[in-house]
Amino acid sequence: MGEAERGESAPRLRISFWCSNGHETQPSFASDAQVPDTWDCPRCGFPAGTDQDNPPDPPRTEPYKTHLAYVRERRSDEDGEAILAEALAKLRGEL
Ligand SMILES: [Zn+2]
């Protein structure tokens, strides 16, 4: 903890990062700290970079996958019900 207290007097750098939504965030770093290439935007969670004109790409959301994922979920539900029904039938000695 003494380290952190001494850090208070150390010079700090404020670095601006911009995300692809144009949000600017200015975390501060100790002057001898390594500044990361990207910083998570505190407003939208997108990665932000130090180049305002060329921010990092936002994470891919793949919107077209949602429907397929939903269909797959339904199908596995139905499969699960069939397996459950079979298991119950076995328990009852029907198979
Ligand atoms: Zn943002």
Side-chain angles (χ1 to χ4, degrees), residues 18-24 41-48:
W18 290 269
C19 75
S20 58
N21 284 328
H23 301 140
E24 182 182 7
C41 173
R43 291 172 67 181
C44 68
F46 283 12

Side-chain angles (χ1 to χ4, degrees), residues 6-27:
R6 277 203 297 278
E8 292 283 283
S9 59
R12 295 184 77 79
L13 297 173
R14 271 192 171 276
I15 309 288
S16 289
F17 290 85
W18 290 269
C19 75
S20 58
N21 284 328
H23 301 140
E24 182 182 7
T25 182
Q26 290 187 313

Side-chain angles (χ1 to χ4, degrees), residues 69-84:
Y70 177 73
V71 170
R72 279 198 186 133
E73 218 166 89
R74 289 289 304 160
R75 176 159 298 203
S76 68
D77 276 357
E78 285 165 16
D79 286 350
E81 281 172 24
I83 291 165
L84 183 63

